[in-house]
Amino acid sequence: MFPIFLSLILLLCTFVLNSTPAIAANVPHGILKQPATEMTVSLGNSANELKFEPNDLQFESGKRYELRLTNPSAQKHYFTAKDFADAIWTQKIEAGKVEVKGAIHEVELKPGAEAEWFFVPLKPGKYILHCSIAGHTEAGMTGEIVISN
Ligand SMILES: [Cu+2]
């Protein structure tokens, strides 16, 4: 009787633990009150070269960032980094008068567009960044994102 009761308790505990949003639990308390470290990445440039500038981004886990994405080129581009997006907690993306909250995997910027991505890196590792428009990755529109401890 007793072991059954115990395992029921364990099962309940497991259930409660699993139902806690894992990501939110990993975000340090009070992080949203800290000023964000600002960084800018431009998608393409005014000479219409197919590259990210800079193309190597470094973040520290547990800090809060404001990543400003700009597109000074004459064509649209994507900031695509799915594994990176899974390794961070996105607070929000601001673009114009719009705020988007929740998980984001890809951001499209039309010519002249700008967006600010507020997030906290959680999982250290190396991640690939690319622009998913046909031909752009092949032409060199790629980058590397590193999250360090
Ligand atoms: Cu592109």
Side-chain angles (χ1 to χ4, degrees), residues 20-96:
T20 306
I23 292 289
N26 287 335
V27 174
H29 205 66
I31 188 81
L32 297 183
K33 290 179 187 143
Q34 287 179 25
T37 303
E38 287 181 35
M39 271 191 212
T40 300
V41 178
S42 101
L43 285 63
N45 57 28
S46 50
N48 277 320
E49 292 175 296
L50 296 174
K51 55 183 182 183
F52 292 98
E53 292 175 352
N55 65 2
D56 57 331
L57 307 175
Q58 313 255 353
F59 301 105
E60 281 176 49
S61 63
K63 283 194 172 179
R64 182 165 172 254
Y65 289 92
E66 176 185 343
L67 181 63
R68 180 182 295 261
L69 305 175
T70 64
N71 180 358
S73 79
Q75 57 187 317
K76 71 175 181 179
H77 292 295
Y78 280 77
F79 185 100
T80 308
K82 189 184 178 305
D83 292 341
F84 169 71
D86 285 338
I88 67 177
W89 176 73
T90 293
Q91 180 192 354
K92 61 182 174 180
I93 286 196
E94 287 183 5

